[in-house]
Amino acid sequence: MTFNDTLTLSQSSAVLEAPESLPAAVFWDMDGTLIDSEIYWAAAEQHVIELHGGTFSEEVPLRARGQSTPRLLQIVQEYIPSPVDTELLRSEIVNYVIEREREKPCWATGAVELLDLLSHAGIPNVIVSASPRAMVDNMARQAPEGAFVGYVCGEDGLAAKPDPAPYLRAAEIVGADPSDCLVFEDSPVGLQSGGASGATVVAITGFTPEGVVFDGPQVTNIKDYAGLGLDDLANFMELGSLEK
């Protein structure tokens, strides 16, 4: 999805004229990377499981983290004693999370500032998420004006992470070679997806629960985006080029 179907002339030029050491574009996973929404997802999972007579387990959020919506629904259904209509379950979870995000977006520390910096530098940003379109669109429109040129969501008909398809699609949106792009991710499947696309990948660990192992293709792990500047992003890209 793009908000204007194509990039503006200035944004397109920025992709072509960006210094070689900087990323041509930055792709952001959403839940647990761009925003601290994992607590909302866990609460939604607990809400629907108990609503339908099941027993919630702390392992549910760990198993569901980074998964596509269909897979998340399969996991949740395992903790409910009787089958629940898939569309009903999906609607209950999605609506719960959207309402919480509208009340309080919970941006990751430094994310808004980095988005502003990239926007002013002419480097386009794209959200790449397995979440439903309504959720991704909600967050994209709550971001600073012009921060995101588009998004990829779980309803785009693409193979889900860890397949590289979502990140390859993001590269198509901005008209860039994936190998020239930077990915921020927080889940093992997301890290694999970004790395498989050929992009340079950085792992965000600030919202990661115990039990998640970061053994993917990332060039480094960072807690959040506090204080990150263009020089840092250039360093990430240089690290990525050394490993390719």
Side-chain angles (χ1 to χ4, degrees):
M1 176 272 183
T2 58
F3 294 117
N4 298 302
D5 292 330
T6 57
L7 298 176
T8 65
L9 178 60
S10 62
Q11 289 166 331
S12 298
S13 299
V15 172
L16 297 174
E17 296 172 5
E20 188 174 340
S21 58
L22 287 173
V26 178
F27 305 146
W28 307 65
D29 173 57
M30 190 173 75
D31 299 296
T33 301
L34 179 63
I35 57 174
D36 181 15
S37 60
E38 294 300 336
I39 189 172
Y40 295 157
W41 280 98
E45 290 152 12
Q46 181 172 1
H47 171 72
V48 299
I49 287 172
E50 294 178 349
L51 179 67
H52 294 288
T55 301
F56 179 75
S57 167
E58 293 297 333
E59 71 180 12
V60 176
L62 285 175
R63 293 182 61 197
R65 190 180 186 89
Q67 299 293 342
S68 65
T69 302
R71 178 57 186 146
L72 179 148
L73 295 176
Q74 290 175 352
I75 293 170
V76 168
Q77 183 67 72
E78 292 177 22
Y79 297 83
I80 299 173
S82 300
V84 179
D85 179 77
T86 299
E87 187 54 37
L88 173 62
L89 206 59
R90 176 188 176 280
S91 176
E92 290 172 342
I93 293 175
V94 168
N95 290 339
Y96 187 101
V97 176
I98 287 179
E99 285 305 312
R100 301 294 82 75
E101 289 176 347
R102 283 174 177 163
E103 293 170 2
K104 187 178 181 182
C106 294
W107 297 104
T109 302
V112 171
E113 292 80 3
L114 183 55
L115 285 168
D116 278 332
L117 180 64
L118 291 168
S119 181
H120 283 97
I123 299 174
N125 297 278
V126 179
I127 297 176
V128 182
S129 174
S131 294
R133 187 177 311 280
M135 286 182 166
V136 183
D137 191 70
N138 175 50
M139 295 314 306
R141 296 185 185 280
Q142 288 194 56
E145 184 176 358
F148 291 106
V149 300
Y151 60 73
V152 179
C153 72
E155 296 175 8
D156 284 343
L158 302 171
K161 302 173 185 178
D163 192 280
Y167 283 107
L168 294 176
R169 174 58 184 141
E172 290 178 359
I173 289 175
V174 297
D177 188 317
S179 65
D180 295 329
C181 300
L182 179 65
V183 167
F184 289 124
E185 267 284 0
D186 77 305
S187 69
V189 294
L191 294 169
Q192 293 172 38
S193 175
S197 75
T200 294
V201 184
V202 172
I204 305 301
T205 65
F207 307 128
T208 306
E210 293 184 10
V212 176
V213 178
F214 285 91
D215 58 355
Q218 71 269 20
V219 296
T220 189
N221 298 349
I222 60 175
K223 180 180 179 181
D224 53 40
Y225 312 95
L228 282 187
L230 296 180
D231 287 345
D232 297 298
L233 270 59
N235 288 336
F236 295 154
M237 295 302 295
E238 288 172 5
L239 287 172
S241 68
L242 293 175
E243 297 187 2
K244 294 174 182 176

